[in-house]
Amino acid sequence: MGKAALQADLNRCLGQLSEVNGKLGKLRAALSNLQGVSTAIEYVLVSPENIKSSYHLAGHPYDEEAQTEKNTVDKTVEKYDEYKLNMISRLSSKISSLESEAASLRSGINMLSQAIARAKED
């Protein structure tokens, strides 16, 4: 393979590495942002006394409704947590895959650079 062909391959690999590094940067930023997001939902009706003093409502039906709402909030937080962990796992997996691809490209770039240094002009 001539020097020009090797240089063309090297340029192609450098372009691919640049593209992979760009994707890695975006995925790492997305992962960092996602990890920084809280899935907590504050439930403000913390007790029957709170409902009575804040909303001037009292009695068994309001207590039951408040408990139902609290259960709904808790289930929603669980679903958010599950979705967040799933997305973190998927992003981490894709990042690992792209890191392997980048390492392979860097290895190829090193080999091509050495081959270009040894190659004769076309």
Side-chain angles (χ1 to χ4, degrees):
M1 191 179 260
K3 200 169 194 174
L6 289 170
Q7 186 63 49
D9 283 348
L10 177 63
N11 292 340
R12 180 186 51 78
C13 285
L14 287 169
Q16 289 176 337
L17 181 59
S18 177
E19 186 179 316
V20 167
N21 284 335
K23 289 178 182 178
L24 275 170
K26 289 177 184 177
L27 289 174
R28 286 180 179 137
L31 179 61
S32 177
N33 288 338
L34 182 58
Q35 288 171 329
V37 171
S38 172
T39 58
I41 300 173
E42 182 183 355
Y43 186 67
V44 295
L45 303 177
V46 293
S47 68
E49 293 79 25
N50 176 270
I51 296 169
K52 184 176 181 179
S53 65
S54 298
Y55 302 99
H56 307 291
L57 301 171
H60 188 68
Y62 298 109
D63 295 345
E64 287 179 356
E65 183 63 29
Q67 187 58 48
T68 301
E69 289 174 358
K70 172 98 171 81
N71 292 341
T72 301
V73 168
D74 291 345
K75 287 178 186 176
T76 302
V77 169
E78 286 177 21
K79 288 203 180 280
Y80 283 161
D81 284 339
E82 183 181 318
Y83 182 74
K84 179 181 174 181
L85 291 174
N86 184 0
M87 290 309 297
I88 287 172
S89 174
R90 291 173 68 183
L91 284 169
S92 296
S93 176
K94 184 64 176 177
I95 288 169
S96 293
S97 172
L98 287 173
E99 285 172 340
S100 294
E101 185 178 342
S104 176
L105 284 167
R106 283 191 295 275
S107 176
I109 288 168
N110 287 338
M111 291 187 328
L112 286 167
S113 296
Q114 291 171 7
I116 289 171
R118 292 188 307 269
K120 296 180 182 170
E121 291 295 326
D122 290 335

